[in-house]
Amino acid sequence: RDKRLKEIIDKDNSFILDASIDREWKKYKKWIEKANYKVFIISMDLSKKFVISLFKAKQYQAFMYIDKWMNDHENFLKQYRGLVNLSITDSNFKDRLKLSEEKIREWLKR
């Protein structure tokens, strides 16, 4: 994943990275800044209860990591909240694609 991302960045291509960047942001941030990219970050700020229900629905087995991942995400938000362009929560999760498209279109117009 990292090798492919680095190749995309090095080619100066626009891209969408669908990943949990909160655990890798320091590394990605260096690559992005070096390539002079602009970023649009959508933060999935979901409750633990909601995440567990998603895991069950998708038959994910990584329940033992949820607390760590949620803690990592909270730490990311504390440090980099100003980078987040859109926050998806339990209440707007159902409309996440529409909301994302609208916000990205607004952002691109600026």
Side-chain angles (χ1 to χ4, degrees), residues 1-26:
R1 176 197 71 200
D2 285 356
K3 181 181 176 192
R4 181 158 161 64
L5 176 59
K6 187 78 170 93
E7 288 172 1
I8 291 169
I9 290 173
D10 289 345
K11 289 179 183 175
D12 198 31
N13 291 330
S14 296
F15 63 95
I16 296 172
L17 176 63
D18 182 11
S20 298
I21 63 163
D22 42 18
R23 293 184 297 278
E24 302 285 340
W25 182 245
K26 288 181 182 179

Side-chain angles (χ1 to χ4, degrees), residues 13-109:
N13 291 330
S14 296
F15 63 95
I16 296 172
L17 176 63
D18 182 11
S20 298
I21 63 163
D22 42 18
R23 293 184 297 278
E24 302 285 340
W25 182 245
K26 288 181 182 179
K27 175 175 46 177
Y28 294 164
K29 186 176 182 239
K30 289 178 188 176
W31 296 349
I32 289 167
E33 286 176 344
K34 183 178 178 185
N36 211 19
Y37 274 89
K38 295 178 185 172
V39 296
F40 184 97
I41 296 178
I42 300 170
S43 181
M44 303 298 283
D45 303 323
L46 307 173
S47 70
K48 182 177 178 180
K49 180 179 178 182
F50 195 87
V51 171
I52 289 171
S53 70
L54 288 174
F55 272 40
K56 287 179 180 177
K58 294 181 177 191
Q59 298 181 340
Y60 291 169
Q61 301 300 313
F63 293 96
M64 68 289 253
Y65 299 113
I66 290 176
D67 288 330
K68 181 185 180 332
W69 290 341
M70 294 192 82
N71 187 54
D72 289 346
H73 185 67
E74 278 304 311
N75 289 334
F76 170 82
L77 289 177
K78 285 177 186 170
Q79 192 168 6
Y80 299 107
R81 184 167 296 280
L83 291 178
V84 174
N85 298 88
L86 173 63
S87 178
I88 300 298
T89 63
D90 298 10
S91 62
N92 65 7
F93 184 81
K94 182 178 73 171
D95 299 318
R96 68 194 177 280
L97 297 177
K98 180 181 174 212
L99 292 169
S100 298
E101 178 191 11
E102 290 170 357
K103 287 289 186 180
I104 290 170
R105 286 185 187 278
E106 289 173 18
W107 183 77
L108 288 171
K109 286 180 183 178

